[in-house]
Amino acid sequence: MNTALRITAFTAGLTAAFGLALGVGHATGTGTATKPAADHAGHGAGHASGHGAGNGSEHEDHAEHLPGGLQISERGYTLSIDNPFVTAGSPTQLRFRILGADGKPVTAYQQQHEKELHLIVAPRDLSTFQHLHPTLAADGTWSAPTAVPAAGEYRVLADFTPAGATEGLTLGADLHAAGDLRPAPLPVTGRTVAVDGYTVTLAGDLTPGRSSHLTLNVGKDGTPVTDLQPYLGAYGHLVALRAGDLAYLHVHPDTTTPGPEIGFTTTAPSGGAYRLFLDFQHQGTVHTAAFTVTADGTAAPEAAPTGVAATDHQH
């Protein structure tokens, strides 16, 4: 998972709603960056608040209250992927555009967590996770080198805020990967997972329709890690994706200290299973720990520490 969660502070991008929502290369950190603020909004913050610039129709009103990433078009913006068909295991240049209400590509964006757009690529079985930061061309085309590890249906989630907009949004589109399809059940994890020599322990539960606080504790070799480095302006980013439809949850980071605990606040829109992907940076390398949880107040099942495969970061 070294090359492989923000329950978005990225939300990371999830405001109060699990707008559920993971290229090669890792970010490097100096550990001397300005201490991240605890109250900065998650990626796409405000998306579920219902105050977007809709057209006033019943459809738009309804859309404003949906979790992020479920729609390819919302509030006049559309996610358009140039070629949604790829081959599993083969490097590809993922190109896409965000189209405005006039059908023209959007070319100006506001920065959120040090980037103008955050891209999540995850398969429907949520077995892997990629958190990418594509490059924007002058004509409004975004591009990111990536490779999906296995055949199947993937969801591409774009988390962004257009220039001049008062709030962000998350759009989602399907990506189809050809190859030898081998469907797998949702990964099972316990409260502690292992990744790249680190252990990450989750405390707290998701409760449908109610704000929940989650704490993730990072350790290495049996010792708490107290010198985490800022990653995209925060000491950790959590992305939450709802199993079944990959709804993207907006998450708020609460932590202003470099570990070992990283805290987040979010709201699950419904009961059911979720995958949580935590991104954290230590000693110049970004790592991702993944958990499977159930939003019903029930503790996660106990299991031996596990990791997450094929989680990638691009900067």
Side-chain angles (χ1 to χ4, degrees):
M1 196 126 24
N2 205 7
T3 64
L5 174 272
R6 48 191 245 278
I7 294 177
T8 125
F10 143 77
T11 31
L14 312 178
T15 274
F18 239 110
L20 249 179
L22 47 18
V24 184
H26 291 78
T28 59
T30 63
T32 60
T34 301
K35 181 164 67 176
D39 58 353
H40 71 295
H43 293 300
H47 165 58
S49 65
H51 300 293
N55 61 14
S57 68
E58 291 183 7
H59 174 73
E60 288 291 341
D61 289 342
H62 173 67
E64 289 296 335
H65 294 85
L66 290 175
L70 295 180
Q71 301 187 110
I72 196 171
S73 184
E74 184 176 351
R75 300 207 312 258
Y77 296 97
T78 300
L79 171 58
S80 176
I81 299 178
D82 284 4
N83 181 14
F85 299 93
V86 299
T87 300
S90 298
T92 185
Q93 193 73 14
L94 183 60
R95 301 181 187 276
F96 64 95
R97 294 168 295 159
I98 303 298
L99 305 180
D102 57 2
K104 297 179 180 179
V106 177
T107 58
Y109 298 79
Q110 300 179 38
Q111 278 201 2
Q112 290 188 331
H113 306 291
E114 303 180 350
K115 299 294 180 180
E116 292 184 321
L117 185 145
H118 298 264
L119 194 71
I120 300 299
V121 180
R124 288 286 176 177
D125 64 8
L126 291 173
S127 59
T128 63
F129 171 85
Q130 296 183 57
H131 173 182
L132 311 177
H133 296 115
T135 300
L136 177 63
D139 66 354
T141 298
W142 291 94
S143 60
T146 187
V148 297
E153 298 296 312
Y154 287 74
R155 194 69 174 167
V156 175
L157 304 169
D159 185 353
F160 62 94
T161 302
T166 58
E167 58 186 21
L169 69 160
T170 304
L171 301 179
D174 288 335
L175 187 67
H176 316 281
D180 183 14
L181 179 59
R182 297 176 182 273
L186 194 70
V188 176
T189 69
R191 287 286 183 171
T192 299
V193 300
V195 52
D196 307 329
Y198 296 83
T199 57
V200 182
T201 301
L202 171 67
D205 298 302
L206 292 179
T207 303
R210 195 167 67 200
S211 180
S212 302
H213 184 73
L214 303 174
T215 300
L216 296 107
N217 194 299
V218 181
K220 184 177 177 63
D221 301 326
T223 302
V225 174
T226 58
D227 58 344
L228 293 173
Q229 296 166 319
Y231 171 58
L232 299 177
Y235 286 117
H237 286 271
L238 188 64
V239 171
L241 300 175
R242 182 169 61 188
D245 61 4
L246 275 63
Y248 176 83
L249 305 188
H250 288 191
V251 182
H252 292 292
D254 307 321
T255 301
T256 59
T257 57
E261 293 186 348
I262 312 172
F264 300 91
T265 300
T266 190
T267 300
S270 68
Y274 292 81
R275 286 281 280 170
L276 310 182
F277 298 92
L278 172 71
D279 288 338
F280 64 94
Q281 183 169 235
H282 188 235
Q283 297 180 346
T285 301
V286 177
H287 308 274
T288 303
F291 297 83
T292 300
V293 300
T294 301
D296 62 0
T298 301
E302 290 300 325
T306 57
V308 166
T311 298
D312 296 322
H313 305 269
Q314 174 191 305
H315 308 282

